[in-house]
Amino acid sequence: MSRPDHMDVAAYALGVLDEQDTERFEEHLATCWACAAELETMVPVVGLLSDIDGETMMALEQTATDPALLDRTLGAVRADRRRTRFRHLLATAAAVVVFGGLTGYGFVSVTGNEQPPGVLAESTPSAPNDPPTSVPTAAPSGPGVGGTEVEGDQVEATDPTTGVQTTMFLVTKDYGTRINFSLRKLPGPRVCRLVVVRKNGGTEVISSWSVPEGGYGTNTRPQGLELSASTSALPKDIKQLQVQSVDANGVASPLVTVPM
């Protein structure tokens, strides 16, 4: 657009453009965010200017000696101009809001990053959870490999039959043990659970989750599953940790076992 188009904002706001120039400017306004924003800032100013235009000045001169006549004249002039101005500014403000909303949506659509698919599993710990600790999705050679050191004692296992792999980090807490773990080569769909087997023979289910059809850490879904759970048992009292698959009848079968 030409420079004069951008300079017509004030004239348009004051309503001094003729019909042809008004139509031309409104076509320009529909595609120019800068002019729309400037017009929006002029709304309060236009309201003030409507009280001190030429008609008002003339009324002031003609009624300077008659306060009552002055009040009636100003009231009539202002009421007429405000009705006209109010209708005009309402239409303009609506255009600004619509244009601004569309522009904001376009900006978010262009700059917004697509979020990765969320993990469907939910942990069901039997003791309070601490702030989550990051767990590697690939088998590391030791804590802290390739990034921030992971808290806890690390144990790993791969089941020779199912092929399911897991890396677990055990963190001793006042309430027992927090277990951060990742799973790979875990096919779906299925329902799984994490079971603590104590040295005294007792067992405890400390977490359960569902696995979608694509699984985790598979060719379909390369990203591994990361979870955290807690148990009241201390690490020294745990014999083994076992990830189990549970069928529709509630029958469990081991997927991977981590001896302690």
Side-chain angles (χ1 to χ4, degrees):
M1 286 291 176
S2 63
R3 182 176 178 80
D5 287 323
H6 298 287
M7 297 177 64
D8 283 343
V9 179
Y12 178 77
L14 292 172
V16 299
L17 294 178
D18 59 26
E19 182 177 355
Q20 181 177 0
D21 288 341
T22 297
E23 292 179 358
R24 176 187 55 77
F25 180 78
E26 288 177 347
E27 292 177 358
H28 166 73
L29 184 65
T31 59
C32 181
W33 174 248
C35 285
E38 183 179 354
L39 179 61
E40 187 177 8
T41 64
M42 287 188 177
V43 172
V45 178
V46 171
L48 294 175
L49 293 179
S50 66
D51 293 338
I52 52 172
D53 55 13
E55 295 175 359
T56 302
M57 294 302 295
M58 182 179 298
L60 288 172
E61 294 177 0
Q62 294 177 355
T63 61
T65 59
D66 188 345
L69 179 58
L70 172 61
D71 289 340
R72 290 195 299 273
T73 303
L74 289 179
V77 171
R78 289 173 182 173
D80 180 70
R81 288 187 56 80
R82 284 174 180 171
R83 282 194 297 269
T84 302
R85 191 73 62 198
F86 182 73
R87 289 192 297 268
H88 177 73
L89 291 180
L90 276 181
T92 302
V96 170
V97 170
V98 172
F99 182 71
L102 293 176
T103 304
Y105 176 78
F107 178 77
V108 171
S109 299
V110 172
T111 60
N113 294 324
E114 182 181 356
Q115 296 297 323
V119 175
L120 297 181
E122 292 184 0
S123 175
T124 55
S126 58
N129 276 328
D130 289 294
T133 303
S134 60
V135 180
T137 57
S141 59
V145 173
T148 304
E149 182 176 354
V150 180
E151 181 184 8
D153 298 326
Q154 177 181 346
V155 290
E156 298 179 2
T158 300
D159 190 280
T161 301
T162 65
V164 177
Q165 302 173 356
T166 184
T167 300
M168 297 188 177
F169 295 87
L170 280 69
V171 185
T172 302
K173 296 292 182 180
D174 293 338
Y175 57 75
T177 306
R178 189 182 75 222
I179 304 171
N180 301 318
F181 61 103
S182 65
L183 291 165
R184 302 170 299 281
K185 307 298 182 183
L186 179 62
R190 66 180 65 239
V191 174
C192 297
R193 66 186 186 185
L194 177 62
V195 178
V196 175
V197 181
R198 301 175 186 243
K199 291 180 179 180
N200 63 7
T203 61
E204 178 187 6
V205 177
I206 62 172
S207 182
S208 64
W209 62 92
S210 62
V211 180
E213 185 174 356
Y216 290 103
T218 62
N219 292 334
T220 303
R221 185 196 294 264
Q223 181 180 2
L225 173 63
E226 300 179 5
L227 290 172
S228 179
S230 295
T231 174
S232 59
L234 294 171
K236 64 183 181 64
D237 298 325
I238 299 176
K239 179 180 179 180
Q240 65 184 24
L241 299 167
Q242 188 174 82
V243 177
Q244 300 176 347
S245 178
V246 183
D247 64 19
N249 297 320
V251 178
S253 58
L255 292 175
V256 61
T257 301
V258 181
M260 303 294 292

